[in-house]
Amino acid sequence: MAKPLALDFDPIARADELWTRRWGGVPSMAAITSIMRAHQILLSRVDAVLKPYGLTFARYEALVLLTFSRTGELSLSKIGERLMVHPTSVTNTVDRLERAGLVARRPNPLDGRGVLAAITERGREVVEEATRELMAMEFGLEEYGPEQCREVFELLRPLRVAAGDFTDPGEGAARGRP
């Protein structure tokens, strides 16, 4: 868990004041600094739940993705695409999950050079247990209600669209579903 700073002032607000005095007001500086600090806090909270399972958030995401697949297995390239990570990261993640007995590798019958990662029964048990715990602590966002979480999702959506993560469907049926 992130060590509380216990300061008697908001260091990001202070940095924003000093920045404004020196270079002028740039709200994006305070926003990015807040996002980065929030990332540290949330990762620490989530990691505290996942650590007893031998998981990081990246490994947890891979297991969840495999449970969402129809057959419980996906190609490593598909895992990388869906998790938006580099192929090397996928290989590292699957290696660690395999060593832990949570996934098994097998040749892809549709691609002679490809490999599938398949979730094991133990992997399914671990992802279910870890998910129950993460949901109980609201994935570290317990200070926010459902509507605020939807707002955060929507606020960050244009950034992800601009980065090319996906094409914005506009006001289609998929819009608003995190």
Side-chain angles (χ1 to χ4, degrees):
M1 202 62 88
K3 181 182 174 200
L5 298 176
L7 301 173
D8 61 356
F9 66 96
D10 179 344
I12 297 173
R14 174 81 50 87
D16 185 43
E17 290 169 22
L18 297 171
W19 188 283
T20 299
R21 279 191 226 146
R22 177 144 186 178
W23 291 298
V26 181
S28 55
M29 186 285 297
I32 186 64
T33 306
S34 293
I35 290 168
M36 299 304 271
R37 178 61 181 144
H39 176 263
Q40 291 171 341
I41 292 166
L42 293 172
L43 197 54
S44 175
R45 289 176 178 180
V46 168
D47 281 350
V49 169
L50 296 175
K51 189 174 183 175
Y53 297 101
L55 296 175
T56 60
F57 193 66
R59 288 180 222 148
Y60 171 76
E61 283 183 305
L63 286 177
V64 168
L65 181 60
L66 290 171
T67 66
F68 288 162
S69 72
R70 215 174 38 254
T71 60
E73 59 187 19
L74 290 169
S75 69
L76 299 191
S77 61
K78 186 63 75 179
I79 292 171
E81 175 186 301
R82 297 280 166 81
L83 296 181
M84 299 169 282
V85 297
H86 191 273
T88 304
S89 296
V90 175
T91 300
N92 184 344
T93 296
V94 171
D95 284 349
R96 291 176 182 263
L97 289 170
E98 186 176 34
R99 281 196 298 270
L102 304 177
V103 301
R105 275 193 168 102
R106 72 178 193 90
N108 186 341
L110 304 176
D111 174 3
R113 297 174 298 142
V115 175
L116 297 175
I119 192 166
T120 64
E121 197 53 45
R122 179 67 188 137
R124 288 183 188 282
E125 292 167 7
V126 165
V127 80
E128 289 297 327
E129 292 170 27
T131 298
R132 273 194 296 279
E133 286 193 49
L134 288 169
M135 288 174 60
M137 53 88 79
E138 299 289 332
F139 285 86
L141 291 165
E142 58 271 7
E143 293 87 0
Y144 300 94
E147 189 55 40
Q148 289 173 307
C149 288
R150 280 187 209 84
E151 286 177 36
V152 169
F153 172 76
E154 288 299 328
L155 280 170
L156 296 175
R157 185 182 182 89
L159 179 70
R160 298 182 311 115
V161 170
D165 284 356
F166 61 99
T167 304
D168 191 351
E171 294 300 317
R175 183 152 175 82
R177 271 193 280 158

